[in-house]
Amino acid sequence: MLKVGLTGGIGSGKSEVSALLDGHGAVVIDADKIAREVVEPGTPGLAAVVAEFGEDVLLPSGALDREKVGKIVFADPGRLAALNAIVHPLVGERMQELMDAAPADAVVVYDVPLLAENGLASMYDEVVVVDAPEETQLDRLTSRRGMTEEDARARMAHQASRADRRAVATHIIDNSGTLDDLKAQVDALWKSLTHRTAP
């Protein structure tokens, strides 16, 4: 089994690379997606978040109001630590379950947004960084996600710098060009990764 960490700044196109690798046959484990799953209605995770933060963090549907929780925890490091203490162990358990279920010769891709920020590079056999110039990231966030330039810049400023991300990479995918350029790079990356798992 080959463990691959996949990361990239917001608006870099990491999700697209993740989807392309999935299409090639990688077992993709998406940390953000799992973090949402472990606090869905009816889960022990959601019950623990409500016990910590109160019923006010629920939407009328009974789902977690992510925006409200975000506002609380980003303004208070202590509250963020409390949320992480609930969610992180649950995410870790679920990721382990998915890894245990993967075939022995699998290329397992961990989609981890904060890989560089949290010093996680050493956990993986390979680290793939999806890279794009800051102006490209900014353009994608404002035009495709509808963020204001101020919000986009603030989100980018909270992440590792391009240089810090590139420093932990064993492979860099340059996503400043076309989708065809991106696909060609991912095809080459896949060949390289599967070559490592070949008997």
Side-chain angles (χ1 to χ4, degrees), residues 43-56:
T43 59
L46 182 59
V49 171
V50 171
E52 176 68 38
F53 290 89
E55 299 276 343
D56 285 353

Side-chain angles (χ1 to χ4, degrees), residues 3-34:
K3 294 200 287 185
V4 179
L6 173 67
T7 195
I10 187 169
S12 65
K14 176 176 62 62
S15 299
E16 188 65 46
V17 171
S18 178
L20 289 168
L21 288 167
D22 181 61
H24 275 294
V27 174
V28 177
I29 298 177
D30 182 333
D32 273 358
K33 189 172 164 198
I34 294 169

Side-chain angles (χ1 to χ4, degrees), residues 34 38-39 44-46 48 84-95:
I34 294 169
V38 299
V39 290
L46 182 59
N84 287 343
I86 295 166
V87 176
H88 284 182
L90 296 171
V91 171
E93 280 172 32
R94 182 65 185 135
M95 287 174 89

Side-chain angles (χ1 to χ4, degrees), residues 1-6 27 29 95-96 99-100 102-112 115 120-128 170-171 193 196-197:
M1 183 182 294
L2 188 69
K3 294 200 287 185
V4 179
L6 173 67
V27 174
I29 298 177
M95 287 174 89
Q96 189 63 48
M99 197 176 89
D100 291 346
D105 62 348
V107 173
V108 181
V109 174
Y110 294 84
D111 184 331
V112 185
L115 185 150
L120 304 176
S122 62
M123 293 175 59
Y124 306 101
D125 302 310
E126 304 278 351
V127 174
V128 177
T170 55
H171 301 272
L193 296 176
R196 282 204 55 184
T197 61

Side-chain angles (χ1 to χ4, degrees), residues 129 131-134 137 159-167 174:
V129 170
D131 186 53
E134 286 181 7
Q137 289 176 263
Q159 296 189 328
S161 68
R162 282 180 76 195
D164 287 346
R165 268 194 301 273
R166 291 172 72 96
D174 172 12

